[in-house]
Amino acid sequence: MNFTLFDLKIIEYSFFITAILVIMIGLYGALVKKSLIKVVIGLSVFDSGINLLLISVGYITSGTAPIFSPALVKDMPLTLENIKKLSAGMVDPVPQALVLTAIVIGFGVTAVALSLVIRLYRHHQTLNIDEIKNLKW
Amino acid sequence: MIYYLILIFFLLLLMIGAAIYSIVQKDLLYAVIGTGLISLVLSVLFLLLQAPDVALTEAAIGVALTTIIFIITIRNTVRFEDEVYQKKPSKTEAK
Amino acid sequence: MKMKKILVISLLAVFGVYLTEALFKLDFGRQFFQQGVKDFYLVTTPMKLQVANVVTAIVVNFRGFDTLGEVTVLFLATTAMGSILYKGRHQLGERAVLFSGSRIVTTGSRLLFPAIILLGAYVFIHGHLTPGGGFQGGVIIATGFLLMLMAYADYSVSHIVLSVVESLAGITFATIGLLGMLHGGSFLQDFLPNGSLNDLLSGGIIPIIYIAVGFKVGAELTGLIYTALNEKD
């Protein structure tokens, strides 16, 4: 795929702007909403935005996935020059490993937060954070 | 080429729309389905950004497990966001 | 109420403007450094470790200690959820979902269940060759158990079996790390022969660790779903 400069600019701005907008929407939901489940939903949306941002920072135009598949290294001796030539066209694997960790940890955080929400509801019979005043339970 | 651009723009707009929907919607069950839609679109975007590992993780965790945990929580508490504003008869002693 | 919304929106606007300005100095789709850590990983992985998937090599080999911490965090999340929601022993059939699905749903899930487990096992066994790995495979296996738990009202998973599988997988991970230490090196040192690129038996300790991680994540997430689903108000 050969991108012209114009297309490149459009894609660049659209990915970053989308990630920032999703982060803003998630933070707005987490800060403004009264319902505790809505707060956790806002944090989850925030998480998605950050993941998109990190992956799109590591992208390289018309790059391939960082996998040396059999089709890629088929009739090519594995010398240092060949590997360097192949790896010049690969996207950055470091943010991908980071986001892989972040998604799994985010799920654990969401599960613990939701179990705390269930426990609070069982005690107070409400989820409004204005009515949950006493911190001791 | 132009179809690729149209696909990317469609997915990005769908993601922003799903995010706004899941924050604005008063019915929490629909809002949770909105977050599942965000994760689904996000996994396709990861695939287009050449990150198949992350796409697989996001599709499995974000679409299936996070949604089901939220739905279990909603089933155990309240379904509508407005229900939290009206004070119920409080049962202070723990069951 | 109104004031808080205005405050939050203005705060987010300032934050967004700064984030946008900072990010637009980066070029999208361009390499930022002439010689970065990326190049080291991309050259070392196929040359020395003989692993095809570079992300797997980073997660398990170069950053293996982080993965041990990550698995520990997931274990702690499961334990915390179980202890927060604990209300006494559950009887059989005392479940949040009290009814079975229809005949079509139960037969379909019984048909799909072995295929989902097989897909999960494939994903974590081939983690060093194809996209995927222990976390993805474990999550897919947990999804299969979730399907069965949703379809049948009286389907139950033994907590003892889950904890035994989880503990054995964790012990395997830590033992491999300690064996690397005994072999004369640091924790999680690679001590097995590497094989050749794109073979199933290649990559030293990476396939063993990822299989252990797959079992551990699958058992943990199945236990987490089972705890949450058995929660009755």
Side-chain angles (χ1 to χ4, degrees), chain A residues 16-126:
Chain A
F16 282 161
I17 286 178
T18 306
I20 292 171
L21 272 179
V22 172
I23 289 174
M24 292 299 135
I25 292 165
L27 261 181
Y28 174 79
L31 288 176
V32 167
K33 290 292 176 175
K34 296 284 182 211
S35 169
L36 275 172
I37 295 181
K38 244 348 184 349
V39 172
V40 182
I41 287 176
L43 288 178
S44 167
V45 172
F46 184 38
D47 211 12
S48 308
I50 289 181
N51 291 340
L52 179 60
L53 186 64
L54 282 174
I55 289 287
S56 59
V57 163
Y59 182 66
I60 286 177
T61 305
S62 65
T64 58
I67 295 169
F68 292 89
S69 56
L72 202 64
V73 293
K74 196 168 39 184
D75 32 85
M76 200 181 270
L78 281 172
T79 56
L80 194 61
E81 291 85 49
N82 281 336
I83 295 285
K84 273 190 175 162
K85 208 189 298 170
L86 279 179
S87 68
M90 284 184 175
V91 301
D92 200 343
V94 183
Q96 297 190 11
L98 180 65
V99 171
L100 192 70
T101 308
I103 290 173
V104 180
I105 296 294
F107 173 68
V109 169
T110 306
V112 173
L114 285 177
S115 59
L116 282 174
V117 167
I118 293 177
R119 190 72 193 210
L120 272 174
Y121 180 77
R122 208 186 279 158
H123 191 79
H124 290 278
Q125 299 296 315
T126 179

Side-chain angles (χ1 to χ4, degrees), chain C residues 53-128:
Chain C
N53 191 347
V54 183
V55 180
T56 297
I58 291 175
V59 167
V60 180
N61 198 312
F62 294 110
R63 302 253 170 265
F65 199 59
D66 289 1
T67 305
L68 188 57
E70 180 183 357
V71 171
T72 311
V73 168
L74 211 57
F75 168 71
L76 284 180
T78 313
T79 314
M81 192 163 181
S83 57
I84 287 170
L85 291 181
Y86 184 74
K87 265 178 78 176
R89 292 235 175 270
H90 296 285
Q91 303 299 317
L92 199 65
E94 218 183 49
R95 167 100 52 92
V97 184
L98 273 178
F99 50 90
S100 282
S102 68
R103 183 71 58 84
I104 296 173
V105 174
T106 52
T107 312
S109 13
R110 223 169 43 221
L111 190 69
L112 274 176
F113 180 64
I116 293 175
I117 299 294
L118 187 66
L119 174 67
Y122 175 84
V123 165
F124 69 68
I125 288 173
H126 291 249
H128 55 301

Side-chain angles (χ1 to χ4, degrees), chain A residues 1-3 7 10-11 14-15 17-18 21-22 25-26 28-30 33-35 37-38 40-42 44-45 48-49 51-52 55-56 59 63-67 91 95-97 99-100 103-104 107 110-111 114-115 117-118 121-128 131, chain B residues 1 4-5 8-9 12-13 15-16 19-28 31-32 35 38-39 42 45-46 48-54 57-58 61-62 65-66 69-70 72-74 76-78 80-81 83-95:
Chain A
M1 282 182 285
N2 36 3
F3 288 76
D7 300 336
I10 289 177
I11 290 181
S14 60
F15 269 103
I17 286 178
T18 306
L21 272 179
V22 172
I25 292 165
Y28 174 79
K33 290 292 176 175
K34 296 284 182 211
S35 169
I37 295 181
K38 244 348 184 349
V40 182
I41 287 176
S44 167
V45 172
S48 308
N51 291 340
L52 179 60
I55 289 287
S56 59
Y59 182 66
T64 58
I67 295 169
V91 301
Q96 297 190 11
V99 171
L100 192 70
I103 290 173
V104 180
F107 173 68
T110 306
L114 285 177
S115 59
V117 167
I118 293 177
Y121 180 77
R122 208 186 279 158
H123 191 79
H124 290 278
Q125 299 296 315
T126 179
L127 283 182
N128 193 347
E131 290 178 17
Chain B
M1 191 59 231
Y4 186 68
L5 272 181
I8 283 182
F9 281 133
L12 292 175
L13 284 178
M15 190 173 164
I16 296 174
I20 293 175
Y21 180 78
S22 65
I23 293 296
V24 169
Q25 176 63 255
K26 295 281 184 208
D27 192 340
L28 291 171
V32 168
T35 57
I38 293 175
S39 291
L42 195 60
L45 283 175
F46 285 156
L48 291 178
L49 286 172
Q50 304 291 337
D53 289 273
V54 188
T57 317
E58 180 73 41
I61 287 188
L65 289 187
T66 311
I69 289 281
F70 270 113
I72 289 168
T73 309
I74 288 170
N76 278 327
T77 55
V78 287
F80 292 95
E81 197 185 354
E83 276 180 53
V84 302
Y85 294 123
Q86 58 207 13
K87 177 100 175 139
K88 285 191 176 180
S90 66
K91 300 172 198 164
T92 41
E93 58 272 4
K95 282 185 279 187

Side-chain angles (χ1 to χ4, degrees), chain C residues 148-162:
Chain C
M148 290 302 274
L149 284 169
M150 299 282 283
Y152 289 92
D154 53 351
Y155 190 84
S156 69
V157 187
S158 165
H159 261 297
I160 299 169
V161 172
L162 283 183

